[in-house]
Amino acid sequence: AQKVTQAQTEISVVEKEDVTLDCVYETRDTTYYLFWYKQPPSGELVFLIRRNSFDEQNEISGRYSWNFQKSTSSFNFTITASQVVDSAVYFCALITGFQKLVFGTGTRLLVSP
Amino acid sequence: ETGVTQTPRHLVMGMTNKKSLKCEQHLGHNAMYWYKQSAKKPLELMFVYSLEERVENNSVPSRFSPECPNSSHLFLHLHTLQPEDSALYLCASSQDLSPGGFGNTIYFGEGSWLTVV
């Protein structure tokens, strides 16, 4: 069975702090895809990144970076120099074998000024 | 501006009402989805359509009835709902569901907040 665990329910930081959101996944498949989505209070799920299981290179996009480690089944997300606009719920998700996203329970990030 | 638009954004309905949620995607995708997000529960896949044909129905009660008239539009018809059906309903789309192919990015709309009273 596939499963995504986001152990951090809520994180509070002050603006300009760095913050890492953890994601641990479970699957027996060798081919799979991992995603991160951001959900602001408006409700829309905003796509942030897609990574396939054969590409373990870390990725950086502006203040966002992702660390994919197959050895620990983790796909962690770091925001550098956080801003108030980063406040949202962040979801990690997994797809294996069929176009069905398996989501974690999400981490609520609160960035205060 | 999102490539997937949903209307209405907010809906309050009684348990005996019939209403519909509408979704339209402007991305040229062939697959469309309905997801449900309830408080304190993970996001759940409800229905999947590929080229207007339903390919997945995740044990959803019959009071939820999807309709996909073309690859750009998706509806969720609601009838005799229960208060526990109150949730955020998210529509999404992706490129396709080609055989053996998966992992295409799924893009979501802003959701329809439904309250059943």
Side-chain angles (χ1 to χ4, degrees):
Chain A
Q2 291 77 38
K3 184 179 178 183
V4 176
T5 301
Q6 294 180 256
Q8 303 151 308
T9 305
E10 187 168 313
I11 301 175
S12 292
V13 298
V14 178
E15 219 172 9
K16 298 184 182 177
E17 283 186 26
D18 298 347
V19 58
T20 296
L21 310 181
D22 297 333
C23 173
V24 174
Y25 62 92
E26 295 176 30
T27 179
R28 293 183 177 180
D29 294 313
T30 56
T31 302
Y32 52 89
Y33 291 81
L34 295 163
F35 299 80
W36 275 95
Y37 287 87
K38 173 183 180 180
Q39 188 175 43
S42 61
E44 179 186 4
L45 276 170
V46 179
F47 165 72
L48 295 178
I49 189 171
R50 166 182 177 265
R51 178 52 52 99
N52 75 56
S53 53
F54 299 107
D55 182 2
E56 284 195 75
Q57 277 195 331
N58 292 330
E59 182 157 339
I60 298 175
S61 176
R63 295 184 297 107
Y64 294 170
S65 62
W66 290 269
N67 185 337
F68 177 30
Q69 291 197 336
K70 288 178 76 170
S71 60
T72 55
S73 297
S74 65
F75 187 41
N76 296 337
F77 172 31
T78 297
I79 302 175
T80 303
S82 59
Q83 300 177 0
V84 172
V85 293
D86 295 328
S87 296
V89 181
Y90 291 85
F91 290 93
C92 181
L94 170 70
I95 283 182
T96 69
F98 182 69
Q99 272 290 91
K100 176 178 177 178
L101 280 165
V102 175
F103 283 92
T105 50
T107 297
R108 181 178 301 277
L109 175 64
L110 178 61
V111 183
S112 52
Chain B
E1 184 178 321
T2 178
V4 180
T5 56
Q6 292 186 239
T7 54
R9 293 294 321 282
H10 299 269
L11 177 63
V12 179
M13 60 184 290
M15 289 188 283
T16 58
N17 291 159
K18 286 185 181 180
K19 297 285 184 182
S20 296
L21 305 180
K22 178 184 175 183
C23 175
E24 182 175 1
Q25 57 96 0
H26 316 275
L27 301 169
H29 290 163
N30 292 323
M32 296 189 76
Y33 313 75
W34 280 114
Y35 277 81
K36 176 183 178 182
Q37 187 176 24
S38 308
K40 300 180 182 179
K41 288 180 72 176
L43 280 139
E44 305 169 68
L45 177 65
M46 299 176 73
F47 301 105
V48 181
Y49 276 82
S50 175
L51 296 171
E52 300 117 60
E53 287 193 20
R54 191 189 309 179
V55 296
E56 177 93 355
N57 177 353
N58 260 17
S59 302
V60 179
S62 58
R63 57 185 183 270
F64 295 93
S65 174
E67 178 190 1
C68 188
N70 55 63
S71 59
S72 298
H73 293 85
L74 185 65
F75 295 87
L76 188 62
H77 304 299
L78 314 170
H79 177 48
T80 58
L81 296 190
Q82 305 298 311
E84 59 265 28
D85 297 322
S86 299
L88 176 66
Y89 290 85
L90 288 154
C91 176
S93 71
S94 69
Q95 191 61 48
D96 56 39
L97 290 176
S98 56
F102 64 95
N104 292 320
T105 298
I106 298 178
Y107 295 92
F108 287 82
E110 291 182 301
S112 294
W113 295 91
L114 173 67
T115 302
V116 181
V117 298

